[in-house]
Amino acid sequence: MKDRKLTTLEIGRDLMGKLNRKGIKCSKQKIQNLLYLSQIWHLELYNNPLFEDDIYALKEGPGAYTIWKLKKGCSQLDGDELNSDLLRSIVNYYGIMDVDFLSKLTKDTYAWKKQISNNGFGDTSSISIELLKDTSRFKEKEVHKRFIENIKN
């Protein structure tokens, strides 16, 4: 999976399936937050993107339009299972967190803040891979340090 780039819809389906199997309440916003964190961690761990779709600095938080456009929300994400230790770890660690907390967490990243300060919100405000790769301050937050500890064990 490290070599094959997936779509945000494929990953969203997988995240939804994993959340459902754990009995965790889901929303489009939670999927968006987990997609964003998955992309950041994939870049950090493997030095390449997990997916090619752009992530935008939307008013609600970082997001992919493929997920925002879903009219029925998470019910359209049917839970196809991808074989990914990283996605399992993301769901196991971040998935149990409240969606409001996750939204604050994703909006508190350097990439998010830099993108909105330079270009504002909206469909022309794609967050570059270069910005997403700058995780130096991201990794220093205690919540993310614990994630790294969890995936090492």
Side-chain angles (χ1 to χ4, degrees):
M1 176 141 115
K2 294 176 195 170
D3 298 328
R4 180 179 173 270
K5 293 190 184 51
L6 303 165
T7 68
T8 51
L9 198 53
E10 288 174 304
I11 297 166
R13 284 185 177 124
D14 180 69
L15 292 169
M16 180 65 198
K18 286 174 173 47
L19 290 167
N20 279 339
R21 280 185 284 292
K22 293 182 127 333
I24 299 171
K25 185 179 178 199
C26 184
S27 66
K28 284 197 292 186
Q29 184 62 45
K30 184 168 246 186
I31 295 295
Q32 294 285 30
N33 292 329
L34 296 177
L35 276 170
Y36 183 70
L37 291 167
S38 298
Q39 184 76 313
I40 288 173
W41 282 117
H42 199 274
L43 287 164
E44 172 65 22
L45 297 170
Y46 305 113
N47 200 33
N48 67 355
L50 177 62
F51 52 86
E52 293 179 351
D53 301 0
D54 288 331
I55 295 179
Y56 293 90
L58 303 173
K59 192 176 249 183
E60 299 84 359
Y65 278 113
T66 53
I67 304 299
W68 284 125
K69 289 179 184 176
L70 296 176
K71 299 211 184 312
K72 295 181 182 175
C74 286
S75 65
Q76 287 181 270
L77 299 173
D78 58 13
D80 294 339
E81 183 77 28
L82 300 172
N83 185 19
S84 168
D85 290 337
L86 176 62
L87 293 177
R88 266 189 294 284
S89 296
I90 291 284
V91 167
N92 289 339
Y93 184 75
Y94 293 106
I96 61 173
M97 295 176 185
D98 176 73
V99 70
D100 292 331
F101 178 77
L102 280 174
S103 292
K104 288 177 187 167
L105 198 62
T106 57
K107 289 179 182 179
D108 193 35
T109 59
Y110 173 76
W112 166 260
K113 289 178 179 180
K114 183 76 171 167
Q115 186 63 31
I116 61 170
S117 71
N118 288 347
N119 301 308
F121 301 110
D123 60 0
T124 59
S125 195
S126 172
I127 302 172
S128 72
I129 294 298
E130 289 73 33
L131 277 178
L132 291 169
K133 280 184 174 181
D134 187 353
T135 60
S136 55
R137 288 165 273 216
F138 177 79
K139 293 185 299 188
E140 293 306 311
K141 295 198 179 292
E142 193 59 38
V143 67
H144 302 304
K145 284 181 182 179
R146 287 192 303 268
F147 175 74
I148 289 293
E149 290 169 12
N150 282 342
I151 63 172
K152 286 181 180 177
N153 294 328

